[in-house]
Amino acid sequence: MSSRRPFKNPHAEAEQFRRRAALGFLAVALALVGLGAWYFRLQVLQHADYSTRSEANRIRPRPVVPARGMIYDRQGRLLAENLPAFRLDVTPDKAGDLDALLSELGQVIALSEDEIAHFRKERKSGRGFLPVTLKLRLSDEEMAAFAVNRWRFPGVELQPYLTRHYPYGDLFSHVIGYVGRVDEDDLAKLGDGGAALSHIGKTGIERSYEEMLRGQVGYEQIETNVQGRALRTVGRVPARPGADLRLSIDAELQRAAVAAFGELEGTAVAMDPRTGEILALVSLPGFDPNLFVNGISHDDYRALMDNPSRPQFNRAVLGGVAPGSTLKPFLALAGLDSGIRKPEDRTLSTGMFHLPGTSRGWGDSHRGGHGWTDARKSIADSVNTYYYQLALDMGIGRVQEYLSRYGFGQPSGIDLAGENTGILPSPAWKLKNRKERWYPGDTVNISIGQGDWKVTPLQMVRGTGALADGGRLRRPHLVDARRDRFDAPWAPLPQPAPGQISDSPADLQVVGEGMVMTVHGPGGTARAIGTGIPYRIAGKTGTAQVVSRRGTAAVDPRSLPMHLRHRALFIGYAPADDPQIAVAVAVEGGGYGGSTAAPIARAIFDAWLLGKLPAGMEPIDGVDAPGCAGEAADCPPATAPSTVPAPAATASAGASSTPPSSVADVVTPPAASAQRSPALASDRNPSANSLGNWARLHNADPVRAASGVSAAEAPAASPRVADPASGPRVPPPPDAEDDR
């Protein structure tokens, strides 16, 4: 059976071809339409987006970190500066295997374990496309070695930056503070704008004025090639540098205060009572803030933490001690202002004070008693019994009211973070913190600055400044002025108006006379420092006990180990008739205020008023400070002092044990507040305000003129001698009385 091939149907085939061609044409047309629509979307609808992406592949934004503002002292000396340096940054997304990279890079540049650990920590908390600093402050040799081998390490860049440096090291560690590397907590506070920053203020002025010092981050637009190498800068948003700050601190006075302590530990604060400007703030021991700038090593940090003296602890701001007898001028003023006491009112001191119906006794510094005592003598001779009875007569409520008015139990307001508020004891405080009721014995204890008291040296110097400045309680501050450009004038920072602690100039004068007698009176507890000076000091010594008495017997601090010895305290201002400087000193393990803290204050007064630096110290600027210091040939000649009669009320101070004539001879009452010389603009001018400025303006010696001895011939302060058991001391003369 033969097969027959079917005949072709040309019409059917043609129709089939037409259908297929139409279908293909339609598919091509749809594809072209889709492609056109896609191109339209890319070129028109999404042009801005893809143009930005394309530009981003070619243009890379690079943050520009502003130069941190510099910090100067009142004389224009640089306390915190910026030095050029280079760091090594790694961008994790471009670096590949980080373990291999670190291993190979470590063969070219020395990488410590601390640096690697810090890098890994920052890498985990950061974004992969953002650079992470691996090593800071490369040496010239390290930079050269990396430049030769740079091709081996993709994603690793050598970046210039400004590193912080503190020329005076530990001298200003608790004032300036330091900057440190930005951590996770800092980034959370700064937000996205802070990602470009590598350092931030951690303590001191660096922290308190961080925003002012930091400035504003800028950006550069860098054109790169396909390998990511920078070709040129095509745009820039300039960074705004941080503001420079000028402090009221004087570096020379700061050095003198540190030298006055010798090997002792403690704190001292000097303030201009007319303005609240802090002239010196010392907390010993200190530390080198440069260790923290680029990351402190584990060994250095361990050494600081294991030091029992706690070098990082700012005793002036964060610490606190019982005020001891330095509280007495304030409680005396409270008694006078409240009307509970009059200047001539007297209390009999027999050596031991007893509450009615109790056997426990509270003693005086003299076990035989001080006899009849009025307000002036109670301050000068530090008569405890006067204050025991005064506090009981006032009542704890009134005592708390007045002492709070004087600034105790509240922060002073200084421009440093974390200030301690201290403790002003009261029934409410004791009930809340000790769950105990208040007893009359508590009132007796706090009347002489013992018990649950805690005050900071800043509170002490602030209150002392108010006594010196006619009752005006000012805010102590460190930053005096700012400038936003190196060629811009300094703009003073505004300060709040002072409060008023007393409306009675007469009451303030009585307290001032008592403080003058403390140094220049025959029974004053600080009379050892009152010899050989061409000015008068108004002061008060104090001793804060660390261990309590045994029954009714006092504990001799010299018999105790150093860490259990009493805290030695002194507050004062000078010159007494025209105060230029107020000082508060607290010495840890110092024993007694009159023999340890007072000589330190005297050295500070001498440095500021006379330009007289401690023995062995050379001036910072290489020239002797102006003024009459030591036996300088150009010391101004002495002139006869003006005679200031002693007030009639002063005679009552000697009614018990001191002849009136002797009181009149040694007491020069402070001038009334209306006669006080104001702080002049030149006093804050670095070219005019220097150590010894007072001696230049007052070319007279009221102490030596009467005896024909010039200030240049005045004997120096008693030398500091070393006591093997307790460190350097200035022993009082044989007839001096220590203040308890």
Side-chain angles (χ1 to χ4, degrees), residues 229-241:
R229 294 179 182 271
L231 299 177
R232 63 191 179 98
T233 301
V234 297
R236 176 175 297 165
V237 177
R240 188 180 67 190

Side-chain angles (χ1 to χ4, degrees), residues 678-702:
L680 305 177
S682 61
D683 288 336
R684 292 186 295 276
N685 184 341
S687 64
N689 188 15
S690 59
L691 295 179
N693 193 41
W694 179 85
R696 291 203 315 271
L697 299 178
H698 301 72
N699 54 352
D701 186 346

Side-chain angles (χ1 to χ4, degrees), residues 275-342:
T275 62
E277 295 175 347
I278 298 297
L279 306 175
L281 190 152
V282 171
S283 177
L284 297 173
F287 62 94
D288 186 359
N290 293 299
L291 294 174
F292 290 87
V293 174
N294 292 315
I296 188 171
S297 68
H298 178 78
D299 292 340
D300 289 337
Y301 186 71
R302 193 75 267 158
L304 288 175
M305 296 301 294
D306 292 342
N307 190 330
S309 296
R310 299 185 296 170
Q312 290 183 266
F313 184 70
N314 189 341
R315 290 159 167 80
V317 178
L318 306 176
V321 297
S325 293
T326 60
L327 182 71
K328 291 174 181 176
F330 301 100
L331 191 57
L333 180 61
L336 296 173
D337 280 350
S338 64
I340 301 298
R341 287 289 187 275
K342 296 179 180 178

Side-chain angles (χ1 to χ4, degrees), residues 351 363-367 370 381-384 525 737-740:
D364 256 317
S365 56
H366 288 181
R367 287 298 172 251
H370 297 266
D381 295 6
S382 199
V383 183
N384 291 347
T525 56
E737 300 167 356
D738 287 326
D739 175 68
R740 296 178 186 269

Side-chain angles (χ1 to χ4, degrees), residues 325-637:
S325 293
T326 60
L327 182 71
K328 291 174 181 176
F330 301 100
L331 191 57
L333 180 61
L336 296 173
D337 280 350
S338 64
I340 301 298
R341 287 289 187 275
K342 296 179 180 178
E344 61 274 13
D345 289 345
R346 297 186 298 167
T347 300
L348 179 62
S349 167
T350 61
M352 190 64 65
F353 177 84
H354 293 272
L355 286 171
T358 63
S359 59
R360 190 262 171 100
W362 284 266
D364 256 317
S365 56
H366 288 181
R367 287 298 172 251
H370 297 266
W372 289 102
T373 301
D374 65 0
R376 296 176 180 85
K377 181 181 176 182
S378 72
I379 297 173
D381 295 6
S382 199
V383 183
N384 291 347
T385 298
Y386 182 91
Y387 295 95
Y388 297 150
Q389 190 62 57
L390 173 59
L392 291 173
D393 291 345
M394 290 182 65
I396 184 59
R398 190 179 282 115
V399 169
Q400 182 187 13
E401 174 190 349
Y402 277 89
L403 293 181
S404 176
R405 183 184 303 176
Y406 303 157
F408 296 107
Q410 55 190 280
S412 69
I414 192 171
D415 41 352
L416 291 176
E419 182 184 4
N420 189 354
T421 60
I423 298 174
L424 174 56
S426 67
W429 182 92
K430 186 178 181 183
L431 183 63
K432 178 181 178 181
N433 292 274
R434 296 187 179 276
K435 304 297 187 289
E436 298 175 1
R437 56 170 294 193
W438 189 267
Y439 296 98
D442 295 321
T443 304
V444 173
N445 282 335
I446 72 162
S447 69
I448 58 169
Q450 301 292 348
D452 292 321
W453 268 104
K454 180 175 286 187
V455 301
T456 67
L458 283 168
Q459 292 170 335
M460 294 167 62
V461 77
R462 186 188 185 205
T464 305
L467 296 178
D469 192 43
R472 287 176 282 272
L473 188 68
R474 301 184 185 276
R475 172 184 178 254
H477 58 277
L478 287 160
V479 177
D480 174 57
R482 62 172 289 178
R483 67 179 182 189
D484 296 323
R485 302 186 316 274
F486 73 93
D487 58 345
W490 289 101
L493 296 187
Q495 299 298 329
Q500 191 72 24
I501 66 171
S502 175
D503 296 324
S504 173
D507 292 344
L508 288 167
Q509 181 169 329
V510 169
V511 173
E513 291 169 1
M515 294 177 70
V516 170
M517 291 171 60
T518 299
V519 179
H520 303 284
T525 56
R527 63 184 181 274
I529 69 168
T531 59
I533 52 176
Y535 58 89
R536 291 191 178 275
I537 299 174
K540 183 69 192 80
T541 58
T543 303
Q545 296 180 0
V546 177
V547 295
S548 61
R549 66 175 66 240
R550 301 186 185 97
T552 60
V555 178
D556 182 1
R558 298 185 183 90
S559 66
L560 299 171
M562 182 62 69
H563 71 284
L564 293 180
R565 294 189 180 186
H566 302 338
R567 305 292 192 258
L569 307 170
F570 182 86
I571 61 172
Y573 56 86
D577 58 343
D578 187 20
Q580 312 287 317
I581 178 174
V583 169
V585 177
V587 183
E588 297 182 1
Y592 291 118
S595 59
T596 307
I600 295 175
R602 161 75 187 270
I604 296 174
F605 287 140
D606 282 353
W608 186 249
L609 297 176
L610 304 180
K612 178 180 178 181
L613 299 178
M617 277 188 62
E618 294 294 331
I620 293 177
D621 303 319
V623 295
D624 291 335
C628 184
E631 297 182 356
D634 58 347
C635 287

